[in-house]
Amino acid sequence: MSSTYGTLFKISTFGESHGPAIGVVIDGCPAGLTFDTEFIQHELDRRKPGQSRITTQRREADEFDVLSGVFDGQTQGTPIALIIRNTDQRSKDYGHIAQQFRPSHADYTYQAKYGSRDYRGGGRSSARETAARVAAGAVAKLLLAQHGVQIRAYVSQVGALKLDKPYTELNLNLTEENPVRCPDSDMAGQMFQYIDETRKRGDSIGGVIDCVITGVPAGWGEPVFDKLHAELGKAMLSINAVKGFEYGSGFAGVELYGSQHNDEFYTDETGKVRTRTNHSGGIQGGISNGEAIYFRTAFKPVATIMQDQDSVDVDGQPVTVSGKGRHDPCVVPRAVPIVEAMAALVLVDMMLRNEAAQVGRTTKQAEFL
Amino acid sequence: MSSTYGTLFKISTFGESHGPAIGVVIDGCPAGLTFDTEFIQHELDRRKPGQSRITTQRREADEFDVLSGVFDGQTQGTPIALIIRNTDQRSKDYGHIAQQFRPSHADYTYQAKYGSRDYRGGGRSSARETAARVAAGAVAKLLLAQHGVQIRAYVSQVGALKLDKPYTELNLNLTEENPVRCPDSDMAGQMFQYIDETRKRGDSIGGVIDCVITGVPAGWGEPVFDKLHAELGKAMLSINAVKGFEYGSGFAGVELYGSQHNDEFYTDETGKVRTRTNHSGGIQGGISNGEAIYFRTAFKPVATIMQDQDSVDVDGQPVTVSGKGRHDPCVVPRAVPIVEAMAALVLVDMMLRNEAAQVGRTTKQAEFL
Amino acid sequence: MSSTYGTLFKISTFGESHGPAIGVVIDGCPAGLTFDTEFIQHELDRRKPGQSRITTQRREADEFDVLSGVFDGQTQGTPIALIIRNTDQRSKDYGHIAQQFRPSHADYTYQAKYGSRDYRGGGRSSARETAARVAAGAVAKLLLAQHGVQIRAYVSQVGALKLDKPYTELNLNLTEENPVRCPDSDMAGQMFQYIDETRKRGDSIGGVIDCVITGVPAGWGEPVFDKLHAELGKAMLSINAVKGFEYGSGFAGVELYGSQHNDEFYTDETGKVRTRTNHSGGIQGGISNGEAIYFRTAFKPVATIMQDQDSVDVDGQPVTVSGKGRHDPCVVPRAVPIVEAMAALVLVDMMLRNEAAQVGRTTKQAEFL
Amino acid sequence: MSSTYGTLFKISTFGESHGPAIGVVIDGCPAGLTFDTEFIQHELDRRKPGQSRITTQRREADEFDVLSGVFDGQTQGTPIALIIRNTDQRSKDYGHIAQQFRPSHADYTYQAKYGSRDYRGGGRSSARETAARVAAGAVAKLLLAQHGVQIRAYVSQVGALKLDKPYTELNLNLTEENPVRCPDSDMAGQMFQYIDETRKRGDSIGGVIDCVITGVPAGWGEPVFDKLHAELGKAMLSINAVKGFEYGSGFAGVELYGSQHNDEFYTDETGKVRTRTNHSGGIQGGISNGEAIYFRTAFKPVATIMQDQDSVDVDGQPVTVSGKGRHDPCVVPRAVPIVEAMAALVLVDMMLRNEAAQVGRTTKQAEFL
């Protein structure tokens, strides 16, 4: 079990779906940051269940308590502990799976690894854990905002419905205007209907989230193993249900020639070094180059469906698993703030690490930027 | 800069493309492993330049010296230091880029971050660094082999040429039969010709490598943040030129319904819990489930091409960068052992971490597996 | 700020003296451990304030809540979050130091590092944080007890009053019989009186705690940098007010010749390799040798005294700091369980790390032990 | 085995006493540092064997090669690999201990943990490994020197011969004037003679090294677990033969009252906040306060003596171990640069970590310092 992430801005999440609470401890948040409670709650609200009929109907207020690390409205450089009480557990919905393994859930692997599991609502493997990430990510966003960094994710695909436009042709301010979180309202409407139909059939469907990050200066990211995009990839892949990650030109870039793919440099009118194209996705050699960073994350259809499925029980005997509980037919609308939160956690850690790497830089070198 | 990877089986690589040597220190390899020098050299030979006319013509023997950690042919539990001397540097080929930024290389970002860079052959950002990973990965493979784990990668796509067969329909023993490392000899022939033509035009092209891992028991992988596939993703994305990673059903799985995607459990004739399908790619909830683990990694076309390109110099002035040096027109054939090495490093670390997680497991629980 | 400790059995503590709560998240505790709530509470009670008139009169129940990681009375391999509500804060006692630096406290250095501080009761720098360590250490003790490891600390010195007997001549079962936690009842009586007189004068006094650990097999500890005694030393020095650490022969051993100091090996009647003397303190080359591990930890007199002292305020102006608040005149009686807790956290981490180091050990090698 | 140290300025050492080479990889050294080869060699020379008749007569040039990380005489932010070839191994001197455990050496514990060991010259447990630390520490010193930090260690005790003066009454510029490295020439003479007599008897003797660090600003150190003195303690205790560590008032401070021990603050003529006394040893709450940091490290008599000793062999049978090989009768003279090196590695890491902690500090807060 590693429920910790980060080198300098370290988070430790805890909590099971149906335990008393979930939460997170942030160790390494610099002092002096105005702790904007309202903003953090706003981020949690974007993720919380029950937002529309295409999300799970579990009713969680997802209000958080600050146990430490904030004084006079400011961070103190000390660990910030945030907890969110679980209020609407219906653990009895899960009694039937105490002895069964739900297909494509983590029931079997947790049992294999740990010899037991808290089966209620998926226990620790539940996506409920991501609420803690969103809370921590909101703090990271506050710090990044001070440095001009903006992170915006949106739904670009649901099932086979693809938004085939680059982010540069979209108005990302519209993302939050609809429950699907797709900035194209037409496509959002189609997606909503598609998810809703899937829900009615007791089935689930996958999707893709795109994310765009602006305002990151050249120089963030730590080669060789902790390349900026490698950490982003790990962070995204650590989110429940994620099956793939690509940045910049991604899998499609494979089919380009180098002469097409290379991003030529030029100096803009302000004297800043820029690239004419951005197949690199804002990252070269694992380090940000000052252009927009963008990436895509693929989510599988959620495993819980309202249909009977064949499986085995803890003794290996065949059983039929029936769908119960309250679940999302498609996770991507609620996963948008999670993607943003994880991106924020990666970036803030890289910002702090880069700060340390700059010790001893002379003025001349700093001027280069 | 973070040139270290791993929690318990920790590696630190070092070295620049045109410095005296590259190498790696492995800290945490258990004692008592027979150190098979020949096998390690064999792995290095699979990656080394000059294997055919579609790879770079740099001539490096890539022979390694063992400086520590091995005694009487066995590992001692102490750090294993391996170095590979650089012998065929032609640093003069690089004088022209001392003051220029090659498009889509790491020249600019290193300069921005560090204020200077060893421009000769790309310095630290050169893919030459991956030889150290292959050496360390070979040691990891030796340890994994003792536990029955086998890792096999192969080229599945070059440019638009795709091998549209699942790994289960391929004979992976044929991968090493051709210089492209594609187990389908017809496709391998087409790919070879395509790469060769691209090379003749002074251009480069991308590709995809698939990897299949068998023999991993249920239980490896550390949720929440260090999920097995998240670590695999990070490891792959840390390889030069990689733009994307997907495992199991990946991006395509997005379009499936949950009722199609879910892997139903059954008990096989030996009493082992298995899944009928494997969209999960052998991993559920970040933990291996005993099925084959498989994933795909996308490589962009290499940035160095033998054509003139627009760029800027360190003063931001426009320049024309000419292609010089010796480079691969397509990296995937030589990247196959690198993908395997990184996968091995992830798995061996997870194996050791899982060992620690089993402390206190009762016999009954162990029997479950 | 690093409020995390441990490689595999990782803890993160949080909380300020006068905030809503303090607590700890344990990430990496193996599954299947019976979670003995009563024992954990018992350990907290040994540390809690108000035990006798020679300890602070702050009234804290120090009862803890389990927020996660335990199900059906057993650990699940998932993070265990424990919190302790603060109930008896008298923050108004601290208003006067909001703008002043108390001599030999952390007021000034926190202000220098973080630009602000939660001055109420010392905020994060308060020894109240150690309650979280004791709770985590109790869990570690439970796991160690399963493996036969016992950790016993006691007060061996208060001011100039020294218990000049080796632990082998003491009955450590008597330690908890008196409020000083000195296993020699005569000496305990003298110490009690001495502390009480010091308290009446509004002053404070230092002390030494000895710790003895039995049941650790040969082989725990990770050379080179994470030697078992180096980690023990770090752990002890991380406790508030600690100024020194020595193990085995310690500072006194400096004056011995090698011929006197060396611990000769012999094989005992059971076939076990033993040493005739134990100047090594149970550790050779950073690895346990199977003998008892013992060490000593020096605590300075606590900085808070009920006397006027010269100091400066946050503007650097001279002020007189008056002693207020409720404090221990001598910390060592209450620090005994803290020393034990930190020792337990070190040992359990080393036990898990050693487990991973044993992968691939052949039967023959295992038999050696 | 953990042969790595540091969070941001990370070192990994490798190598056995009689293997081909020892060395170190430094990952995280900032770019732009002038790499002063001569200074690094000078530091290695201070540690190298054969300096006088009271040190081992092994002849090692201890010259180092730079394999990576330095270009045009400057660090590049990339890993710096340094190796030192072993040249004067007399492995045949060690054949007799292949099957025996030398008393108070690490022979037995390595065998117990790893199932085998490189017995030649102590293998990995040899103090020869510390040469790699000295090389890395020299790089750390170069970086610290840029920030005005100076680290000076000296021998303050050999056997019962104690230099009973505080460092403030010594001229530390005289330390290197004599082979004992004691800044008091009279005492140095006595110590030399004492060590030499011990040597002639084939025995060994312990000693103490004091260390004084000036120029560290207020604010370095990371509470709670990574307190500056806790990291210094761990670093010192990780050096071969160390049995104890104390800082500031140390063990003696235990006997003082708080009213005597507390360091009162005042503002000096330059407006800097200072303390009138320095029992705190320059550290309060784990964070530097701007005063001199000082600490003491106790070294046991080295285990190798030229006398017969009782022991057992690998089969547990009684044997007589004879003293052979070339060893120091007292390690402290050569350990002075090792203490300094480890202190430098701790401080440089804390400097970098503090840099990251300052992100977002406003000017006003920075002015406070």
Side-chain angles (χ1 to χ4, degrees):
Chain A
M1 178 66 53
S2 185
S3 289
T4 60
Y5 180 78
T7 297
L8 291 175
F9 192 99
K10 253 183 243 187
I11 69 164
S12 289
T13 71
F14 58 85
E16 281 84 32
S17 181
H18 290 212
I22 59 168
V24 62
V25 180
I26 306 170
D27 189 12
C29 181
L33 177 69
T34 299
F35 194 80
D36 186 340
T37 306
E38 211 169 308
F39 174 73
I40 300 168
Q41 188 60 57
H42 170 256
E43 291 294 284
L44 283 168
D45 289 348
R46 291 175 68 206
R47 196 214 71 99
K48 82 174 175 187
Q51 297 180 47
S52 78
R53 74 170 183 264
I54 60 164
T55 61
T56 171
Q57 297 306 304
R58 179 168 171 169
R59 295 273 164 211
E60 287 288 358
D62 277 0
E63 284 167 3
F64 71 100
D65 285 327
V66 184
L67 296 187
S68 67
V70 180
F71 182 59
D72 274 352
Q74 292 213 315
T75 60
Q76 298 294 308
T78 59
I80 301 167
L82 307 175
I83 61 168
I84 302 167
R85 296 272 164 195
N86 293 324
T87 55
D88 186 31
Q89 309 103 308
R90 297 194 193 156
S91 301
K92 62 181 159 44
D93 284 3
Y94 292 91
H96 67 298
I97 57 157
Q99 304 297 320
Q100 301 182 348
F101 301 131
R102 291 169 297 168
S104 289
H105 269 280
D107 299 339
Y108 170 70
T109 52
Y110 268 65
Q111 186 90 27
K113 187 177 187 74
Y114 301 112
S116 70
R117 66 197 154 94
D118 177 351
Y119 54 81
R120 302 166 305 164
R124 181 68 184 149
S125 71
S126 166
R128 180 142 185 76
E129 180 268 340
T130 58
R133 303 186 188 203
V134 169
V139 179
K141 276 187 175 182
L142 288 171
L143 191 54
L144 289 166
Q146 285 191 341
H147 293 78
V149 175
Q150 192 179 22
I151 301 171
R152 289 185 293 184
Y154 60 92
V155 171
S156 62
Q157 185 174 345
V158 168
L161 291 170
K162 279 190 212 182
L163 182 65
D164 259 337
K165 288 179 191 167
Y167 72 89
T168 46
E169 294 173 21
L170 297 167
N171 180 353
L172 300 187
N173 295 325
L174 302 179
T175 301
E176 298 292 315
E177 300 289 303
N178 58 70
V180 179
R181 293 203 167 89
C182 173
D184 180 304
S185 63
D186 281 354
M187 180 54 86
Q190 294 176 54
M191 286 171 169
F192 186 91
Q193 199 164 344
Y194 185 53
I195 297 171
D196 202 35
E197 281 162 11
T198 304
R199 177 184 69 78
K200 285 174 186 161
R201 284 206 319 279
D203 216 333
S204 64
I205 188 71
V208 174
I209 292 176
D210 279 44
C211 186
V212 183
I213 304 164
T214 53
V216 175
W220 292 12
E222 300 292 317
V224 173
F225 291 109
D226 297 352
K227 290 185 166 89
L228 180 49
H229 56 270
E231 287 294 335
L232 285 169
K234 174 179 170 177
M236 295 308 134
L237 288 155
S238 78
I239 301 172
N240 303 44
V242 170
K243 302 297 283 187
F245 170 87
E246 59 181 3
Y247 81 105
S249 61
F251 276 89
V254 161
E255 305 193 16
L256 297 180
Y257 290 108
S259 55
Q260 300 168 305
H261 191 277
N262 283 355
D263 297 320
E264 294 189 329
F265 288 107
Y266 71 103
T267 303
D268 72 10
E269 59 284 1
T270 70
K272 194 171 184 290
V273 172
R274 302 287 310 273
T275 63
R276 293 205 186 275
T277 50
N278 188 13
H279 295 108
S280 298
I283 302 171
Q284 285 161 335
I287 303 170
S288 60
N289 68 358
E291 301 297 321
I293 295 167
Y294 64 96
F295 59 83
R296 305 177 77 234
T297 303
F299 291 76
K300 70 167 186 176
V302 282
T304 302
I305 55 176
M306 298 300 111
Q307 303 181 5
D308 284 357
Q309 297 175 91
D310 289 344
S311 189
V312 298
D313 65 15
V314 294
D315 298 317
Q317 296 306 307
V319 292
T320 299
V321 175
S322 305
K324 286 189 195 168
R326 295 157 295 173
H327 295 272
D328 294 85
C330 180
V331 294
V332 287
R334 286 178 59 209
V336 164
I338 306 171
V339 164
E340 291 178 6
M342 289 309 300
L345 290 165
V346 169
L347 284 164
V348 85
D349 201 41
M350 287 300 179
M351 178 176 74
L352 298 185
R353 290 172 76 174
N354 188 54
E355 208 62 29
Q358 299 309 314
V359 168
R361 283 287 294 266
T362 65
T363 312
K364 192 177 169 305
Q365 289 163 340
E367 273 166 10
F368 171 80
L369 290 171
Chain B
M1 177 68 54
S2 185
S3 289
T4 60
Y5 180 78
T7 297
L8 290 174
F9 192 98
K10 253 183 243 188
I11 68 165
S12 288
T13 71
F14 59 85
E16 280 85 31
S17 180
H18 289 212
I22 59 168
V24 62
V25 180
I26 306 170
D27 189 13
C29 181
L33 176 70
T34 299
F35 193 81
D36 185 339
T37 305
E38 210 170 309
F39 175 73
I40 299 168
Q41 188 61 56
H42 170 257
E43 291 294 285
L44 283 169
D45 290 348
R46 291 174 69 208
R47 196 215 71 99
K48 82 175 175 188
Q51 296 180 47
S52 78
R53 73 170 185 265
I54 60 163
T55 60
T56 171
Q57 297 306 302
R58 181 170 169 168
R59 294 275 165 212
E60 289 287 357
D62 277 0
E63 285 167 3
F64 70 100
D65 285 328
V66 184
L67 296 188
S68 66
V70 180
F71 182 60
D72 274 353
Q74 291 213 316
T75 60
Q76 298 294 308
T78 59
I80 302 167
L82 308 176
I83 61 168
I84 302 166
R85 295 274 165 194
N86 293 323
T87 55
D88 186 29
Q89 309 103 310
R90 295 193 195 158
S91 301
K92 63 179 157 46
D93 284 2
Y94 292 90
H96 67 298
I97 57 156
Q99 305 297 320
Q100 301 182 349
F101 301 131
R102 290 169 298 167
S104 289
H105 269 279
D107 300 339
Y108 171 70
T109 52
Y110 268 64
Q111 186 90 25
K113 187 176 187 74
Y114 300 113
S116 71
R117 64 197 156 94
D118 178 350
Y119 53 81
R120 302 165 306 163
R124 181 70 182 148
S125 71
S126 166
R128 181 144 185 74
E129 180 268 342
T130 58
R133 304 185 186 203
V134 168
V139 178
K141 277 186 174 183
L142 288 170
L143 192 54
L144 290 166
Q146 285 191 342
H147 293 79
V149 175
Q150 192 179 23
I151 301 171
R152 289 186 293 185
Y154 60 92
V155 171
S156 63
Q157 185 174 346
V158 169
L161 292 170
K162 281 190 208 180
L163 183 64
D164 260 336
K165 289 180 190 167
Y167 74 89
T168 46
E169 294 174 21
L170 297 167
N171 180 353
L172 300 187
N173 295 325
L174 303 179
T175 301
E176 298 292 315
E177 300 289 303
N178 59 69
V180 179
R181 295 203 165 88
C182 172
D184 180 303
S185 65
D186 281 353
M187 180 54 85
Q190 294 176 54
M191 287 172 169
F192 186 91
Q193 199 163 344
Y194 185 53
I195 297 171
D196 202 33
E197 282 161 11
T198 303
R199 177 184 68 79
K200 286 175 186 160
R201 285 206 319 278
D203 216 333
S204 64
I205 188 72
V208 175
I209 293 176
D210 279 44
C211 185
V212 183
I213 304 164
T214 53
V216 175
W220 293 12
E222 299 292 318
V224 173
F225 292 109
D226 297 353
K227 289 186 165 87
L228 180 48
H229 57 269
E231 286 295 335
L232 285 169
K234 175 180 170 177
M236 295 308 135
L237 288 155
S238 78
I239 301 172
N240 304 44
V242 170
K243 303 297 284 186
F245 170 87
E246 59 181 4
Y247 81 106
S249 62
F251 276 89
V254 161
E255 305 193 15
L256 297 180
Y257 290 109
S259 55
Q260 300 168 306
H261 191 278
N262 283 355
D263 297 319
E264 295 189 329
F265 289 107
Y266 71 102
T267 303
D268 74 9
E269 60 283 3
T270 69
K272 194 172 184 291
V273 173
R274 302 287 310 273
T275 64
R276 293 207 186 273
T277 50
N278 187 13
H279 296 109
S280 298
I283 302 171
Q284 285 162 336
I287 304 170
S288 60
N289 68 357
E291 301 296 321
I293 295 167
Y294 64 96
F295 58 84
R296 305 177 76 236
T297 304
F299 291 76
K300 69 168 187 176
V302 282
T304 301
I305 54 176
M306 298 299 113
Q307 303 180 4
D308 284 357
Q309 296 175 90
D310 290 341
S311 188
V312 298
D313 65 16
V314 293
D315 299 317
Q317 296 305 309
V319 292
T320 299
V321 175
S322 306
K324 286 189 193 169
R326 295 157 296 173
H327 295 272
D328 294 85
C330 180
V331 294
V332 287
R334 286 177 59 209
V336 164
I338 306 171
V339 164
E340 291 178 7
M342 290 309 302
L345 290 166
V346 169
L347 284 163
V348 84
D349 201 42
M350 287 299 179
M351 178 175 74
L352 297 185
R353 291 172 75 174
N354 188 53
E355 209 60 31
Q358 299 310 313
V359 168
R361 284 286 294 265
T362 65
T363 311
K364 191 174 172 306
Q365 289 162 339
E367 274 166 11
F368 171 80
L369 290 171
Chain C
M1 177 66 54
S2 185
S3 289
T4 60
Y5 180 78
T7 296
L8 291 174
F9 192 98
K10 252 183 245 188
I11 69 164
S12 288
T13 71
F14 59 85
E16 281 84 30
S17 180
H18 289 212
I22 59 169
V24 62
V25 180
I26 306 170
D27 189 13
C29 181
L33 177 69
T34 300
F35 193 80
D36 185 339
T37 306
E38 210 169 311
F39 174 73
I40 300 168
Q41 189 61 57
H42 170 257
E43 290 294 284
L44 282 169
D45 290 347
R46 291 175 67 208
R47 196 215 72 98
K48 82 174 175 188
Q51 297 180 47
S52 77
R53 74 170 184 265
I54 60 162
T55 61
T56 171
Q57 297 306 302
R58 180 169 170 168
R59 294 274 163 210
E60 289 287 359
D62 278 1
E63 285 168 3
F64 70 101
D65 285 327
V66 183
L67 296 188
S68 67
V70 180
F71 183 60
D72 275 352
Q74 291 212 316
T75 60
Q76 297 295 309
T78 59
I80 302 166
L82 308 175
I83 61 168
I84 302 167
R85 296 273 165 194
N86 292 324
T87 55
D88 186 30
Q89 309 104 308
R90 295 193 195 158
S91 301
K92 62 180 159 46
D93 284 2
Y94 292 91
H96 68 297
I97 58 157
Q99 304 297 320
Q100 300 182 348
F101 301 131
R102 290 169 298 167
S104 289
H105 269 280
D107 300 338
Y108 170 70
T109 53
Y110 268 65
Q111 186 90 26
K113 187 177 186 74
Y114 300 113
S116 71
R117 65 196 155 93
D118 178 350
Y119 54 81
R120 302 166 305 164
R124 181 67 183 152
S125 71
S126 166
R128 181 142 185 76
E129 180 268 341
T130 58
R133 304 185 187 202
V134 169
V139 178
K141 275 186 174 182
L142 289 170
L143 192 54
L144 290 166
Q146 285 191 341
H147 293 79
V149 175
Q150 191 179 24
I151 301 171
R152 289 186 292 184
Y154 59 93
V155 171
S156 63
Q157 185 174 345
V158 168
L161 292 170
K162 281 189 208 182
L163 182 64
D164 259 336
K165 289 180 192 168
Y167 73 89
T168 47
E169 294 173 22
L170 296 167
N171 180 353
L172 300 187
N173 296 326
L174 303 179
T175 301
E176 298 292 315
E177 300 289 303
N178 59 70
V180 178
R181 294 203 167 89
C182 172
D184 180 304
S185 64
D186 281 354
M187 180 54 86
Q190 293 176 54
M191 287 171 169
F192 186 91
Q193 198 162 345
Y194 185 52
I195 297 171
D196 202 34
E197 281 162 13
T198 303
R199 178 185 67 79
K200 285 174 186 161
R201 283 206 318 280
D203 216 333
S204 65
I205 188 71
V208 174
I209 293 176
D210 280 44
C211 186
V212 183
I213 304 164
T214 53
V216 175
W220 292 11
E222 299 293 316
V224 173
F225 292 109
D226 297 353
K227 289 186 165 88
L228 180 48
H229 56 270
E231 286 295 336
L232 285 169
K234 174 179 170 177
M236 296 307 135
L237 288 156
S238 78
I239 301 172
N240 304 43
V242 170
K243 304 295 285 187
F245 170 88
E246 59 182 2
Y247 82 105
S249 61
F251 276 89
V254 161
E255 305 193 16
L256 298 179
Y257 290 109
S259 55
Q260 300 169 305
H261 191 278
N262 283 355
D263 297 320
E264 294 189 330
F265 288 106
Y266 72 102
T267 303
D268 73 9
E269 60 283 1
T270 70
K272 193 171 184 291
V273 173
R274 301 287 310 272
T275 64
R276 294 206 184 275
T277 50
N278 188 13
H279 295 109
S280 298
I283 303 171
Q284 285 161 335
I287 304 169
S288 60
N289 68 357
E291 301 296 321
I293 295 167
Y294 63 97
F295 59 83
R296 305 176 77 235
T297 304
F299 291 76
K300 69 167 187 177
V302 282
T304 302
I305 55 176
M306 297 300 112
Q307 302 181 4
D308 284 357
Q309 296 176 88
D310 290 341
S311 189
V312 297
D313 65 16
V314 293
D315 299 316
Q317 296 305 309
V319 291
T320 299
V321 175
S322 305
K324 287 189 193 167
R326 296 157 294 173
H327 294 272
D328 294 85
C330 180
V331 294
V332 288
R334 287 178 58 210
V336 164
I338 306 171
V339 163
E340 291 178 6
M342 289 309 302
L345 290 165
V346 169
L347 284 164
V348 85
D349 201 43
M350 288 299 179
M351 178 175 75
L352 297 184
R353 291 172 75 174
N354 188 54
E355 210 59 30
Q358 299 309 314
V359 168
R361 284 286 295 265
T362 66
T363 312
K364 193 175 169 307
Q365 289 162 341
E367 273 168 10
F368 171 79
L369 290 170
Chain D
M1 176 67 55
S2 186
S3 289
T4 59
Y5 180 78
T7 297
L8 290 175
F9 191 99
K10 253 183 242 187
I11 70 165
S12 289
T13 71
F14 58 85
E16 281 85 31
S17 180
H18 289 212
I22 59 168
V24 63
V25 180
I26 306 169
D27 189 13
C29 181
L33 177 70
T34 300
F35 194 80
D36 186 340
T37 306
E38 211 169 307
F39 174 73
I40 300 168
Q41 188 60 57
H42 170 256
E43 291 293 285
L44 283 169
D45 290 348
R46 290 175 68 206
R47 196 214 72 98
K48 83 175 175 187
Q51 296 179 48
S52 78
R53 75 171 183 263
I54 61 163
T55 61
T56 170
Q57 297 305 302
R58 180 168 171 170
R59 294 274 164 212
E60 287 288 356
D62 277 0
E63 284 167 4
F64 71 100
D65 285 328
V66 184
L67 295 187
S68 68
V70 179
F71 182 59
D72 274 351
Q74 292 212 315
T75 60
Q76 298 294 309
T78 59
I80 301 166
L82 308 176
I83 61 169
I84 302 167
R85 297 274 165 194
N86 293 323
T87 56
D88 186 30
Q89 310 102 308
R90 294 192 194 159
S91 300
K92 64 180 158 45
D93 284 2
Y94 292 90
H96 68 298
I97 57 157
Q99 304 297 320
Q100 301 182 349
F101 301 131
R102 291 169 297 168
S104 289
H105 269 280
D107 300 339
Y108 170 70
T109 53
Y110 268 65
Q111 186 89 27
K113 186 176 187 74
Y114 300 112
S116 70
R117 65 196 154 94
D118 178 351
Y119 53 81
R120 302 165 305 164
R124 182 68 183 150
S125 71
S126 165
R128 180 143 186 76
E129 180 268 342
T130 58
R133 304 185 187 203
V134 168
V139 178
K141 276 187 175 181
L142 288 170
L143 192 54
L144 289 166
Q146 285 190 342
H147 292 79
V149 175
Q150 192 179 22
I151 301 171
R152 289 185 293 184
Y154 60 92
V155 171
S156 63
Q157 185 174 347
V158 168
L161 291 170
K162 278 189 210 181
L163 182 64
D164 260 336
K165 288 179 191 168
Y167 72 89
T168 46
E169 294 173 22
L170 296 168
N171 179 354
L172 300 187
N173 294 326
L174 302 180
T175 301
E176 299 292 316
E177 301 289 303
N178 59 68
V180 179
R181 293 203 167 88
C182 173
D184 179 304
S185 64
D186 280 355
M187 180 56 85
Q190 292 177 53
M191 287 171 169
F192 186 91
Q193 200 164 344
Y194 185 53
I195 297 172
D196 202 34
E197 281 162 12
T198 303
R199 177 184 68 79
K200 284 175 187 162
R201 284 206 319 279
D203 216 332
S204 65
I205 188 72
V208 174
I209 293 177
D210 279 44
C211 186
V212 183
I213 304 165
T214 53
V216 175
W220 292 12
E222 300 292 317
V224 173
F225 291 109
D226 297 353
K227 288 185 166 88
L228 180 48
H229 57 269
E231 286 294 335
L232 285 169
K234 174 180 171 178
M236 295 308 134
L237 288 155
S238 78
I239 301 172
N240 305 45
V242 170
K243 303 297 282 187
F245 170 87
E246 59 181 2
Y247 82 106
S249 60
F251 277 88
V254 161
E255 305 194 15
L256 297 180
Y257 290 109
S259 55
Q260 299 168 306
H261 191 278
N262 282 355
D263 298 320
E264 295 189 329
F265 288 107
Y266 72 102
T267 303
D268 73 9
E269 59 283 2
T270 70
K272 193 171 184 291
V273 172
R274 301 286 310 273
T275 62
R276 292 205 187 277
T277 49
N278 188 13
H279 295 109
S280 298
I283 302 171
Q284 284 161 336
I287 304 170
S288 60
N289 67 358
E291 302 296 321
I293 295 166
Y294 64 96
F295 59 83
R296 304 177 77 234
T297 304
F299 291 77
K300 70 169 186 175
V302 283
T304 302
I305 55 175
M306 298 299 111
Q307 302 181 3
D308 284 357
Q309 297 175 90
D310 289 342
S311 189
V312 299
D313 65 15
V314 294
D315 298 318
Q317 296 306 307
V319 291
T320 299
V321 175
S322 305
K324 285 189 194 168
R326 296 158 294 173
H327 294 271
D328 295 85
C330 179
V331 294
V332 287
R334 285 178 59 210
V336 164
I338 306 170
V339 164
E340 290 178 6
M342 290 309 300
L345 290 165
V346 169
L347 284 163
V348 84
D349 201 42
M350 287 300 179
M351 178 175 73
L352 298 184
R353 290 172 76 174
N354 188 54
E355 208 61 30
Q358 299 308 314
V359 168
R361 283 286 294 265
T362 65
T363 311
K364 192 173 170 305
Q365 288 163 340
E367 274 167 10
F368 172 79
L369 291 170

